[in-house]
Every structure is written in structure tokens, then in C-alpha cells.
Amino acid sequence: MKDAGLSVEMRPKMVGSRVKRTEDPRLLSGTGQYVDDLHPAEMVHVAIVRSDQPHALIRDIRADAALDVPGLIGVYDFTDLEGEVSPAIPSSRMRNYYATPIWPLARGKVRFVGEAVVAVVATSRYAAEDAAGLIEIDYDPLPFASDPADAACHDAPLLHEEAGTNVIISREFQHGDIDEILHTAPVVVKGRFRMTRKSASAMECRSYLAQWDKRSRAITFHTSSNIPGIVRDVLSSSLGLPGHRLRVIAPEVGGSFGGKGSLYAEEILVCALARKLERPVKYVSDRLEELSSCSQAFDEWMDAQLAVDEQGHFLGLKADVIGDIGAYSIYPWTGALEPVQVISFMPGPYRVEHYHGRVRGVLTPKPATGPYRGVGRPSSTFAMERLVDMAARKLGMDPAEIRRRNLIRDEEFPYRTAPGIIWDKSAFQECLAAACDGADYTAMRAWQEEARAQGRWVGIGFASYAELTGIGSRIAVAPGMPINTGTETSTIRIDSTGAITADFGIASHGQGLETTLAQVVADELGCAFEDVRVRQGDSEVAPQSTGTYASRSAVLAGGAATKSSRVLKAKVLRAAAMLLDVSEEDLEANGGVIRSRSSNAVLTFREVADAVYNRMGAIPHDKREDLVSTETYDPYLGTACSSTHLCMVEVDLQTFGVTIHRYFVAEDCGRIINPMIVDGQVHGAVAQGVGAALLEEIHYGTDGQLQTGSFVDYLLPLASNMPDIGIAHVEAELPNNLGGFRGMGEGGTIGAPAAIANAISDALSPLGVEIETLPATPDRLFRLVTAKTQEISSQEGNKK
Amino acid sequence: MKPAPFAYVAATSVQHAIEALAAAGGDGKIIAGGQSLMPMLNFRLVRPSVLVDINRIPGLDRIEDTGKMLRIGALVRHRLTASDPLIAHHVPVLHEAMNHVAHHTVRNRGTFCGSLCHADPAAEMPMMALLLDAVVEITGPAGTRHLPVREFLVASLTTDLAPDELVTAVEIAKPAPGTGWGFAEFARRHGDYALACVAALVESRDGAACNVRIAAMGIGDTALRLSAAEAALEGSGFSDEEITRAVSALRDEIEPMSDLSGSADYRRHLAGELARNVLGEAWRRAAPEVPA
């Protein structure tokens, strides 16, 4: 509405349009360039010998047989890199935390199956793998506790002796007196919720290429990362190279979903080897390595209780969470990122006055857990939304009604949650209403009744949640992390040919940011969308940046784009005013054309650039300024993105397979830059959530071995698993940041597991089955139903 | 994930392939579609010294009607089996089964005979070959032999094929006209290896079932013929009670394994439920005049 006062020509045109992604022509025609598409001369390949032991001392490494393989360049273990690199330390100001150092190769001890032990370098990946297969490693196996509850015991074998414990993270949030509430509340529901371990499983596996330039003694490192700036900064200290001798580029990146959002030991390794060998060194992880050494997700046990009164008002919540964080604390987020967010977001978008959340992050011999789309909230929302439905069922209340009574209302914003998260005004209530309207909740219930009358197991599930997005410098994205995640910088320049280049530190890996940021620049600068080239994912184009993660790029980079576009526009108009001999206030710019309101005289951006740069004297010499601007944006606080998911599922009576009949998402992401991209993010994230709800589970045996080492056993959702997804965009009030954007790339993964779990529980409610573990596989459902059926029939037997 | 080094022979005739296998001294491997072999090579689970490619051998890529039999050549892709009018007409149960075989990319390359030789306990081809009492045509240095598929399939991923032999075709006897059939499979995702799969054939003679054939997979070390359940139904009228008895015979005679995808109890339950559906369906097709 605030645009209403502007002239028609000045109204934003690109933001809000369904602009086709400018990335797509190259990506869809196979001309995109990923790390593995780069083949510099003299390049060598790395294969990695990984630990087959969950916890063991390395006694001996024998590589003699490997040395005869044709094409072999060298075999390296940690001793070969001593003194050449220092470890990455995922430090934090958190109390009760131990930061496990990250070295490029295991140093004398391995801590999970899949940990990198030996690097084999050869002229081809084939030769490298041939040689790797001939390397023998003798281990002295050590005892270990694979189950986090066992590993948390005081007498458990320690993975990192220096830590003195496997419990390297513990945190509590307390507000009010929850024990008293639980004691006196009319209704208390509880569950032991389990969100199992997942793999982010991006289509492109992690890929790295380091090139050593002898002339400048510098490294150019191409990495399939979504945090190239963070990687640059940590490698700078690990390798002892200043930033101007260390350029980190994330070229096309084939998805991350969080899995490429942390530093990996292999990134240090590849750079160290390139410097050592003075040759380009490439490492491309294969799918087995990806499933056994890329960061993993979730893996929490959540004991949670919700107290409510007879009218369904929430009185208090208690949660005790164990997070299995794997063998290392991940850089830079630390192992606290995921489990601490579980308890800091557990109360969700609801009014919950009394709260006690406790979490322990426990080391076990598995790959480190790290960011995964949704971080923490897929788990916390699963637990909370299940409790909400259990409470509604106990009270005989409609699940939509109990949410309506507890979702924070308009007049309560800004609302500070018990753990201290501040929700700015967002469409919490409106999304619930929009989901019910959009999906026709009344008709869904009628359909369900009909199906139930035929003996079918059909159920309906809600999930309402809010996430904190676009977080500024008030708090670090991960607890206590000493890295600035609160700012982003943009440099926009118009060069002497009139071309407009917009540089950002963020790193798009599928989000279409080259398109959306160009939309913002076009509107704010008044240039043509087609004339803007966005450069990103390159540490050389911004002095500092942390990248694209945590639903921040639209808010932070969008804000930076807005700021620097405005400064640059003022420069352009100042020059144009001199050229046209009118006042700056008389000028407006739109679509690359600057027009004088009074005289109708026009100049193009290109003509202005030509005058400024090429035509000496066109601008008075003491008034001339380069058409460049660099601005940094810090939204300081974050902004809430809220949503309600609503779905209907059917459980097959014979096979226990789950079919999703209907799926609807209502969400508030503030001002929409590109509706097509927003819809795509919702579709993709819901698909990922469907995987978490029904299919995906990383399994480790009690022997510490990975049992899901390929996509035959780790099941990702297929197109045939996906329902049609209805979407309603609700805009409550624009958030108080530049542009009015909220981050929205993660939400679907947060809502879908909870909504599906609630729908399955509703479908099986005649039997009293409550879903507490995801994924809800046919086997799990069979066992739950069989147990309940036996319970019911034995009760009936007792009555007789 | 790259294969270990191997020599490669592009055979131009069956004889050429046999000679190449013989020259490999027991360490050769035939490649046709490669849909199971290539992943095993890349995981280095198999490391043959010679890979004998039969894709260029003429004449193996067709399905032929030899009168009583249909002959499926060694290079017949799943795509062809799924769309072939002879199969659809004479062996509709196989036509139906093909809908559950993997995805298009796999079907375009994978072969019926290759899948049979791989002998995966949760793949459709070994089970369908068992159901249909197929005969395997095997060519080796000593000439050609014919082996019933029951004897060909020895154990999980193991067949009677000698290292110097090649399966050149599979022959399937056309079921008698009017044979009823049913097929049901359940996998966690369409195209995956089955959690359980059951198929049945039955003929009706004056309302009495004869030549009852029931096969299953995903519930044991190998694809199975379920003889106890077959015997329970032979001569019966396929009443609900008789089907229920057969289903419990089936549940008793199988020994499913527990793995990541499902417990033994679940698989036993699932196999029984699928069998119940499949038997009813087969009987309705065999005896359409009898109300189900």
C-alpha cells in the first residue's frame, strides 16, 4: 500500500511477477558448470580410504601394494600433512560445550565408519580407486556406545577423551513452573517422539577442486558449498593464507538441503594437497561416501508433555531431548545447532507460558549431524503438533479449534516465546483459516466420514508452525557461534558499456537467487531486469559473507540489493540531472529509461554511463562519480514466517502403505518476490517432508556399521509419492525489514512430517494408535496396529 | 565408485561369447542390460577379469511364438516384454507384472534373461519364470541344454549356470486359454524391489480348480512356488473358506526374513493379504460365471 503514492511508472513491476528463472536456460540445456565439469590441465584425482571401524586406534597403514598402480601420484595419511594445516575448531560461547577439532584426515584414531583416513592421489579416479583398494589399515578396535542414551552414561567409552564426556552440549530453557502445572492441569498428554536420522541427499554429491597458482602462491578453490565465504575464512586460518591468496568459488551447485552448508575435512584436504603437489586436485564424493560422511540430520529422542485446561488452552510444556550429534561437532554451526533449536522452537506459534526444555547433545560413532532444511523445527514441530492433536482428541475438540484457541493472536505481536524467540506480526491465525478454506476442511471431514463408514482408515492432519528467518546480527544463527551471520553486502556497478553487475556474497544452490535479486535490483534501481547480471557464490566479489542458508538470502541479500540500488540510483539521477539540466527531483527511472517529468526528455542508463565514463567534460570534473555502490544490510532482528499445513491420508488396511490424498499449505512469507519460485520452494520442501514422514531413515547397526549405503535402502520420495499440493499465500503485515520479505525456503520440511503424522494418527484413532516415530513405514504401522488390536482383544477377553 | 580394471569383448555371435567366456577361465561375466551388474561392478562387489558384451549379437532381441511356447531371447529388454502383443495376449499375468518392474530408464536396458541370471529374490523375472514353469535355454562349449527354471534358480543370487555358459533364451509355455490369473505386489515406492509379491494361475474345470500355480517373492531367500497353498486349492471351488485355508497354508510355508524394509511378521502378513487378493482375482478370471 505504501507504493500507492508513487506515479504509475514508478511502481515496482518485477517484484511480485512470475518471472522465469534466468538460471534455467543454461541449467536445462546442460551448459551449467558444476565443479565436476571443470578439468584444468595437469589435474589429479583423489580417492579416500575411509574407516570401516566405528571406533578404533589406527595401528598401521600399509600402502606398498598401491604404489605400483599405474598413474599413482601418492598416498597420504595425517602424518604427511602435519605442520601444513591447522584444524578447524567449531567454537562457541555456549557453556557446557566442547569443540571437537576437525582435521583433514583421521589422526591416529577413527570415530565413525566412513571417516577419511588415507588420501590416494592419481591421474584418474579409476587409478586412485584401484590403489585405494590395495591399502591395508590395521586397527585396534575400541569399545563404543552407538545409542546416545548409552553414550551419555558416565561410564561410556569416550570418543573424544579430551572432552571428558560424550555429552558435549547441554542447554535448558525454563519459564514459569512447569512441574506445578503438570501436577494440577486437568489434561496432560505426553509422548516419546523420535525423529530418525536423515541424509540431505543432494543430487550433486560434494565436489571439490583446488588449484595452486605458483606465480601468486594462491589457491583457487571450487567447492559445491552453500557457504563459500565461511569456507574461505576458515581455510584462510587452516592453511595460513590471506584472503587475497585464497579465492573460494561455489559455481553451479546441485542442491544442498543443508548437507553442503558446513565445512568438510575433505575441503581442507584437497587444498592442502593442491599446495603440496602444486597441481590441481579434484575430489568428487560418490553416493556411498555421501551417505556415510556427509552431515546427517535430526536423530532426536524427545520426551514431551503438554498440559491443557478443559477449554483446550495450553498451560505448559515440558520437553527433555537427547540429540545424537554423531562423532564431531560440525563447523561452524556446532553440534548444538539442531538439538538446541528443537527445544528453543518447541512451543511453536502458540501461547505457552510455562515451559521447561532441556537438551543434551551426545557424541556417538556416526557422521556429524548438521544443518538440514528446517533445522530443529521439523523435529520440534513433529513433537508439539502431535501433542496438540493428542490433547484435542482427549478433549473431544476439533484439531482446528484447539489451534485457533492457542495460536498467537494479532494483538499479541510482537510475542516473546518462553525460550526467548521474538515473533514479529505474521499470519499465524490467518494461515490456519486459509488452510481450512483452501482445502475445504468441512468437505474433507465429510469425505473422511464416508470412507470410515466403509471401514477405511482415512485421517486428516494439521501442522501449524512458525520459523525465524532472515536473522540479523542480534543473535548468531547457531547458539554462541562467533561468526557474524547477521549481515550481507551487495556491490552494484554500472560500467562504461552501461552493463549492470550486482555482486553478492550469498551462494544460490537452486533457489533462483540470480533471478529474484535481479528483480529487486531492477525495481529499486529503475533499470531493465534483463540488463542486470547477478554474480554470487564467489568470495572475491564480497569482502565478507556467510552464504545462503537459514532462509536468509531474500531478506539479507534482498535488503542489501535494495540499499545499494538506492544509493546507485541517486548517483545515476545526479548525473542525468546534470546532463538534462533539470533537477534530480524531476527525474524518474524505470525499465532502464530516465525521464524528466517536466520536459519528457529521456536518457537511457547506457547513455548516462557513456557520459560519466567515456565523454570527458560531459559531467563537470568535480561532480563526476563512479556508478558504483556497496552497501551492507543488517535486519538486526529476524522475522517470523508462519504456515499451516493440512493433509488427508489413507492407510491401506492390508499393506499398511500410506497414500496422501490431499495436501494444502497456507503460508505467510511477506512480500513475494517471485510467486513461481515461492511455489517451487513449497513443493520441493513438502516433498522432502514427505520423505521424512514416510520413507527416509539412515540406519546404523549396533555394530556401528551403516546399513543404508545406497538409494536402494535409503528411500527418497519419488514423483509417484507426491500428492498435488494446494497453496495459499497469506500476507498479514509486511515485516519491518527492507523489502518486506520473509524467508521461506525451508518451511515445507517443517510442516509436512507433523501434518502427515497427525493424519495417520487420526486415521488410526479408532484403534488408539498414536504416531511417535517417523518415518511411519508400513512395518511400523503394522506393528502398532497389531499391538493395539491384541491389546483391545485381550481387554475384551478380560471383560468376558 | 569405479569398477576395477577388466578386459572387454564385444561378442558378435553366441559362439564368440562362449569362446570369450572359456578364454576367461571362469572369470568372465556376461553383460547385456547391465542394470544389476554395473552397480555391482562399481561397488567392486564383482571383479570379473573379462566382460563379455552380448548386445551386438544378432537375433537375440526378439520374442517368438514357437507354437506352444513363447521364446524370449537374451537381449529382450523389459520395455519389449512389457509392450509385446504376444505376451499381452498369451501371458497377461506377465504383462501385468511388467508394470511393477523398476522405471523406464531401467526397463529400456534391463533384460528378462539378465534379471533371471541375477536371481534376485525380490525381482519379478525369477518369480514369473517359476510361476510359468519356464525353461531356460543355456548354451555352452558342449552345446545347448534346456533346464526347468526350478532347477536353474539355486539360491539367492545363485543359479546353475556354469562360468562358461550363456543363457540364450527363456521359453514359456502359453497358459491354457481361459486360465485365470492374478498378480499383486507391494513396494514402498513404485518400481522398488517388492516387500512381497504374489502371482497365481488357475484353470476351472466345471467349477473345480485345476493346475493351481502360486508364486511369490520378497519373502524368502529366493523366488518361491508355494506348493502347500497350491495343493490346498487344487480341486477346490475357491470359496472364501478355501482361500483362507490356502492363505494360512501359505503363511505357514514361507520363512520371510527381517530387514530394514520390513519384519518377518509384517512380510508374512503382507504375503497372505496379497495372496488373498490375487487368488480371488485369478478365480474370477478363470470362472467368470461363478459369483465371487
Side-chain angles (χ1 to χ4, degrees):
Chain A
M1 293 309 104
K2 60 188 174 189
D3 302 326
L6 301 173
S7 68
V8 174
E9 297 82 22
M10 291 291 282
R11 280 187 196 163
K13 289 198 173 68
M14 298 310 294
V15 169
S17 301
R18 301 178 73 88
V19 179
K20 282 189 182 172
R21 301 193 340 157
T22 49
E23 294 92 337
D24 286 345
R26 67 174 193 266
L27 294 176
L28 298 179
S29 62
T31 46
Q33 207 165 43
Y34 298 84
V35 173
D36 200 27
D37 293 317
L38 304 170
H39 306 280
E42 301 289 302
M43 182 176 78
V44 293
H45 297 259
V46 183
I48 293 173
V49 183
R50 294 179 179 277
S51 170
D52 58 9
Q53 298 287 318
H55 189 205
L57 295 174
I58 300 169
R59 201 173 61 214
D60 190 25
I61 297 172
R62 287 189 304 280
D64 307 355
L67 301 178
D68 298 332
V69 170
L72 184 88
I73 305 283
V75 176
Y76 306 91
D77 65 19
F78 78 96
T79 59
D80 298 298
L81 299 174
E82 287 294 280
E84 295 181 24
V85 292
S86 54
I89 311 285
S91 53
S92 167
R93 288 184 288 265
M94 269 183 303
R95 280 177 301 159
N96 307 320
Y97 167 67
Y98 174 77
T100 61
I102 296 161
W103 292 90
L105 292 167
R107 293 176 98 230
K109 175 169 160 171
V110 292
R111 297 181 176 89
F112 65 96
V113 172
E115 183 165 6
V117 180
V118 177
V120 181
V121 181
T123 50
S124 77
R125 176 71 181 240
Y126 285 88
E129 291 196 20
D130 291 346
L134 296 170
I135 288 166
E136 292 172 71
I137 305 174
D138 291 339
Y139 292 105
D140 282 332
L142 295 168
F144 61 91
S146 186
D147 183 290
D150 297 340
C153 293
H154 68 277
D155 56 348
L158 296 180
L159 281 184
H160 294 266
E161 291 81 359
E162 304 81 1
T165 174
N166 289 322
V167 185
I168 61 161
I169 290 147
S170 51
R171 189 90 186 252
E172 281 187 63
F173 294 106
Q174 192 143 13
H175 197 263
D177 187 351
I178 186 61
D179 290 328
E180 172 64 19
I181 293 291
L182 288 171
H183 192 66
T184 57
V187 174
V188 174
V189 286
K190 61 182 170 183
R192 176 147 222 244
F193 302 103
R194 168 104 172 98
M195 186 66 120
T196 54
R197 217 170 174 83
K198 318 282 179 204
S199 163
S201 297
M203 196 182 291
E204 178 205 29
C205 297
R206 287 170 298 140
S207 306
Y208 309 126
L209 168 65
Q211 293 170 263
W212 173 252
D213 179 35
K214 282 183 216 172
R215 285 167 51 249
S216 55
R217 305 193 56 73
I219 286 178
T220 301
F221 180 49
H222 283 83
T223 171
S224 61
S225 176
N226 52 279
I227 52 163
I230 289 177
V231 170
R232 195 272 307 266
D233 291 358
V234 65
L235 287 179
S236 170
S237 46
S238 185
L239 300 165
L241 287 174
H244 60 253
R245 284 168 55 208
L246 179 59
R247 180 179 182 187
V248 176
I249 302 171
E252 317 281 18
V253 174
S256 164
F257 311 103
K260 292 172 183 162
S262 304
L263 173 81
Y264 284 93
E266 294 88 340
E267 295 183 283
I268 311 176
L269 174 69
V270 166
C271 290
L273 288 173
R275 180 166 64 178
K276 194 181 189 75
L277 297 168
E278 300 193 335
R279 286 179 80 163
V281 175
K282 181 189 275 184
Y283 166 71
V284 177
S285 151
D286 62 35
R287 189 58 66 184
L288 174 60
E289 294 179 292
E290 212 60 6
L291 286 167
S292 61
S293 64
C294 190
S295 71
Q296 298 181 342
F298 309 143
D299 210 349
E300 283 114 1
W301 296 90
M302 301 170 281
D303 284 302
Q305 305 179 66
L306 177 67
V308 299
D309 70 15
E310 287 94 344
Q311 285 75 46
H313 299 115
F314 300 166
L315 301 173
L317 174 69
K318 184 172 184 176
D320 191 358
V321 176
I322 289 189
D324 180 343
I325 64 163
Y328 291 90
S329 182
I330 203 154
Y331 188 94
W333 317 109
T334 81
L337 175 72
E338 166 70 26
V340 170
Q341 287 212 12
V342 172
I343 57 162
S344 56
F345 285 91
M346 185 80 79
Y350 302 109
R351 218 175 297 108
V352 178
E353 200 187 325
H354 298 268
Y355 176 60
H356 182 200
R358 177 171 93 115
V359 68
R360 285 171 295 159
V362 184
L363 294 167
T364 65
K366 294 165 202 155
T369 55
Y372 175 102
R373 199 179 197 174
V375 182
R377 292 149 306 193
S379 296
S380 66
T381 303
F382 166 51
M384 183 64 182
E385 290 299 292
R386 286 279 32 251
L387 291 172
V388 171
D389 267 25
M390 289 161 83
R393 192 162 295 130
K394 215 159 176 177
L395 290 165
M397 189 178 282
D398 189 284
E401 181 55 30
I402 197 170
R403 287 177 171 79
R404 203 168 290 133
R405 290 185 188 185
N406 291 283
L407 283 169
I408 293 153
R409 288 187 302 268
D410 278 4
E411 64 273 19
E412 296 172 280
F413 292 112
Y415 182 90
R416 188 188 173 94
T417 69
I421 308 283
I422 294 168
W423 298 131
D424 61 333
K425 189 172 176 184
S426 175
F428 289 22
Q429 291 278 358
E430 295 88 335
C431 284
L432 174 63
C436 290
D437 286 352
D440 199 345
Y441 180 50
T442 315
M444 282 167 77
R445 283 289 178 207
W447 198 90
Q448 178 191 29
E449 277 314 304
E450 236 170 85
R452 277 202 169 151
Q454 297 160 15
R456 292 160 65 189
W457 288 333
V458 170
I460 295 170
F462 283 89
S464 296
Y465 63 86
E467 49 177 329
L468 189 63
T469 70
I471 302 171
S473 65
R474 181 177 161 264
I475 51 167
V477 162
M481 186 179 70
I483 286 182
N484 167 27
T485 50
T487 57
E488 276 301 328
T489 303
S490 156
T491 298
I492 306 181
R493 82 183 67 209
I494 305 175
D495 67 22
S496 56
T497 70
I500 301 164
T501 305
D503 289 341
F504 296 89
I506 51 90
S508 185
H509 45 284
Q511 291 85 349
L513 286 162
E514 288 177 35
T515 307
T516 46
L517 292 174
Q519 288 178 261
V520 173
V521 171
D523 280 354
E524 291 293 340
L525 186 56
C527 65
F529 171 74
E530 297 74 22
D531 290 345
V532 182
R533 180 187 171 210
V534 169
R535 297 195 300 180
Q536 46 86 39
D538 183 344
S539 69
E540 202 138 284
V541 305
Q544 183 267 354
S545 167
T546 50
T548 290
Y549 55 88
S551 298
R552 71 194 291 274
S553 294
V555 179
L556 276 80
T562 301
K563 274 180 88 174
S564 52
S565 293
R566 288 176 182 173
V567 170
L568 180 56
K569 183 179 182 181
K571 289 186 177 182
V572 171
L573 294 188
R574 272 199 293 277
M578 286 183 266
L579 292 167
L580 293 173
D581 199 19
V582 296
S583 76
E584 290 157 44
E585 293 71 32
D586 184 43
L587 295 174
E588 59 187 30
N590 193 29
V593 177
I594 300 147
R595 183 185 307 272
S596 157
R597 289 189 185 89
S598 57
S599 72
N600 257 348
V602 293
L603 271 176
T604 64
F605 271 57
R606 191 175 186 157
E607 286 166 335
V608 173
D610 185 52
V612 167
Y613 293 114
N614 304 327
R615 286 165 44 207
M616 290 191 290
I619 306 271
H621 74 278
D622 54 350
K623 299 273 171 50
R624 186 194 169 282
E625 45 188 356
D626 281 345
L627 302 177
V628 180
S629 107
T630 297
E631 294 292 327
T632 295
Y633 180 58
D634 176 358
Y636 190 59
L637 294 170
T639 179
C641 185
S642 57
S643 176
T644 291
H645 290 212
L646 173 53
C647 71
M648 180 158 70
V649 309
E650 178 161 10
V651 181
D652 188 284
L653 292 143
Q654 290 186 304
T655 65
F656 295 88
V658 175
T659 306
I660 303 169
H661 287 310
R662 201 164 176 119
Y663 207 100
F664 198 90
V665 177
E667 55 86 39
D668 171 16
C669 67
R671 188 196 299 276
I672 293 175
I673 300 174
N674 188 327
M676 199 149 53
I677 286 178
V678 168
D679 287 354
Q681 287 278 23
V682 171
H683 292 156
V686 168
Q688 201 171 338
V690 168
L694 299 176
L695 294 162
E696 298 180 43
E697 184 169 1
I698 290 277
H699 269 279
Y700 280 85
T702 50
D703 57 0
Q705 296 291 330
L706 173 68
Q707 296 174 335
T708 42
S710 82
F711 284 162
V712 170
D713 294 313
Y714 187 78
L715 303 185
L716 294 163
L718 304 177
S720 53
N721 297 106
M722 289 307 297
D724 287 337
I725 299 167
I727 301 174
H729 300 294
V730 182
E731 203 178 284
E733 182 172 290
L734 292 182
N736 186 24
N737 58 36
L738 272 181
F741 313 130
R742 304 180 197 269
M744 59 73 50
E746 301 177 80
T749 58
I750 300 173
I756 292 168
N758 276 342
I760 296 171
S761 304
D762 185 41
L764 301 177
S765 60
L767 296 166
V769 168
E770 300 284 2
I771 299 301
E772 297 191 6
T773 299
L774 293 179
T777 64
D779 184 50
R780 283 203 174 103
L781 295 178
F782 165 75
R783 283 185 279 140
L784 286 170
V785 168
T786 307
K788 280 289 177 189
T789 314
Q790 282 165 358
E791 202 179 292
I792 292 165
S793 64
S794 79
Q795 279 165 1
E796 281 168 3
N798 290 345
K799 277 180 209 157
K800 284 171 196 164
Chain B
M1 205 165 285
K2 306 285 185 202
F6 55 82
Y8 172 82
V9 176
T12 52
S13 67
V14 169
Q15 196 53 39
H16 186 186
I18 302 296
E19 283 163 14
L21 284 177
D27 199 21
K29 197 90 189 154
I30 297 287
I31 185 164
Q35 296 305 291
S36 300
L37 181 58
M38 282 311 302
M40 292 175 76
L41 285 170
N42 287 341
F43 273 109
R44 298 190 178 216
L45 294 171
V46 290
R47 308 171 70 131
S49 58
V50 182
L51 211 55
V52 181
D53 185 343
I54 62 169
N55 282 292
R56 292 174 206 190
I57 300 177
L60 298 181
D61 60 347
R62 43 193 89 142
I63 297 173
E64 290 163 302
D65 189 339
T66 62
K68 287 185 176 170
M69 313 282 266
L70 294 179
R71 185 176 184 279
I72 301 176
L75 289 175
V76 169
R77 316 284 167 184
H78 298 317
R79 174 87 182 79
L80 178 59
T81 314
S83 60
D84 184 68
L86 285 171
I87 298 283
H89 179 70
H90 293 292
V91 202
V93 69
L94 179 55
H95 180 74
E96 170 64 24
M98 296 311 294
N99 286 329
H100 297 264
V101 177
H103 308 101
H104 287 290
T105 44
V106 173
R107 290 187 203 171
N108 285 340
R109 287 178 184 268
T111 63
F112 192 108
C113 292
S115 177
L116 196 61
C117 291
H118 184 54
D120 192 292
E124 288 83 1
M125 301 312 140
M127 168 190 156
M128 294 310 290
L130 273 177
L131 177 77
L132 294 161
D133 294 313
V135 173
V136 187
E137 182 190 286
I138 299 166
T139 307
T144 297
R145 63 181 176 122
H146 289 84
L147 193 66
V149 74
R150 270 172 199 269
E151 294 168 39
F152 178 77
L153 297 170
V154 174
S156 177
L157 307 179
T158 311
T159 68
D160 187 61
L161 198 66
D164 56 358
E165 289 183 317
L166 162 69
V167 170
T168 38
V170 170
E171 293 181 326
I172 293 170
K174 297 175 190 166
T179 298
W181 60 274
F183 179 96
E185 173 172 331
F186 183 66
R188 291 188 54 196
R189 304 174 305 179
H190 184 85
D192 279 356
Y193 285 113
L195 286 169
C197 175
V198 180
L201 295 173
V202 60
E203 293 162 41
S204 163
R205 287 206 190 125
D206 307 324
C210 73
N211 208 3
V212 179
R213 291 186 269 181
I214 308 171
M217 56 102 163
I219 51 169
D221 274 350
T222 59
L224 301 168
R225 273 289 285 273
L226 300 166
S227 46
E230 288 176 357
L233 285 167
E234 191 72 26
S236 79
F238 264 64
S239 67
D240 287 350
E241 297 74 43
E242 286 161 332
I243 289 179
T244 299
R245 265 203 301 280
V247 165
S248 62
L250 178 151
R251 284 184 170 140
D252 287 344
E253 82 180 291
I254 61 176
E255 288 174 28
M257 55 286 173
S258 287
D259 62 18
L260 293 181
S261 317
S263 61
D265 285 347
Y266 169 67
R267 284 195 148 96
R268 182 173 277 115
H269 158 85
L270 180 62
E273 294 305 296
L274 296 180
R276 194 188 303 281
N277 299 350
V278 159
L279 291 168
E281 195 183 358
W283 186 248
R284 280 192 293 278
R285 288 189 169 111
E289 73 282 2
V290 181

